[in-house]
Amino acid sequence: MGKRYFCDYCDRSFQDNLHNRKKHLNGVQHLRAKRVWYDLFRDAAAILQEEQSKKPCRKFLQTGQCDFGSNCRFSHMTEQDLEKLSAQVQGEQRSKELRQEGADVPPGTIEDWLEKRAKRLSAAQNNSTLPEKPAPFQYPLGWPAVQDLPPSLQAPPPGGWPLPPGLQWG
C-alpha cells in the first residue's frame, strides 16, 4: 500500500508521493484550513482591526448563519461583540503599559500568586510544630449539584466507603 501522508490542518490522509503532497499543500482547501488554524492564535488587536474594516454580513445578521462560514469576506461580529473585543484590547494595552512602566502588577496575576505562596511557605516553616489540617474537599465551580453527579465523581463519605458484609478480595 505504501506510505500515507496525514495533514493535521485538513484532517485527511493520502498516498505520500511528491505529486500528491505538492498538489495537496497548494490546494485551496488546505490553504483555507491552515489559515483558520493560525487565526485561532491571533491577538485581539489584530482581530479587532480586521473586523472593523469589514462590512457586516447581512445573511449572518438576519439568520444567524452564513453559507460561507469562516471564509466569508464580511464580518460576523455584532456591535456587542466588537465592543467586548475593543474592551479586551484596551485592557491588554493597559496591562502592557503597566508592565513597561514597572508599576505593581494588578492582583490576580501569577506574580501575585507566587508572592502569596512564598509567604505561606515561609510561615509554614516557622510554625512547623503545628499539625496541618487537611483542606475540606470542594467541587470545582460550574459543576452540577452534588446529588446530580455520578457516583464516581462524588466525594467519599467522611469515614470512607462502607464495605458490604461477606466481601472478600482476590
Side-chain angles (χ1 to χ4, degrees), residues 65-84:
Q65 294 180 351
C66 176
D67 297 335
F68 295 102
S70 62
N71 297 323
C72 185
R73 64 180 185 165
F74 298 105
S75 176
H76 290 174
M77 288 193 151
T78 63
E79 289 296 322
Q80 293 172 344
D81 293 338
L82 288 173
E83 289 172 7
K84 287 179 187 176

Side-chain angles (χ1 to χ4, degrees), residues 55-105:
K55 293 180 183 177
C57 179
R58 276 191 264 150
K59 176 104 172 169
F60 186 79
L61 291 177
Q62 290 171 352
T63 64
Q65 294 180 351
C66 176
D67 297 335
F68 295 102
S70 62
N71 297 323
C72 185
R73 64 180 185 165
F74 298 105
S75 176
H76 290 174
M77 288 193 151
T78 63
E79 289 296 322
Q80 293 172 344
D81 293 338
L82 288 173
E83 289 172 7
K84 287 179 187 176
L85 194 57
S86 178
Q88 180 184 349
V89 168
Q90 289 173 354
E92 288 175 359
Q93 287 174 348
R94 272 189 247 120
S95 64
K96 188 176 181 182
E97 290 170 0
L98 285 174
R99 275 185 257 135
Q100 287 177 349
E101 293 173 1
D104 289 337
V105 180

Side-chain angles (χ1 to χ4, degrees), residues 38-52:
Y38 282 106
D39 283 350
L40 293 173
F41 304 104
R42 290 190 323 173
D43 63 331
I47 294 171
L48 179 65
Q49 183 180 9
E50 181 180 323
E51 291 296 326
Q52 285 178 334

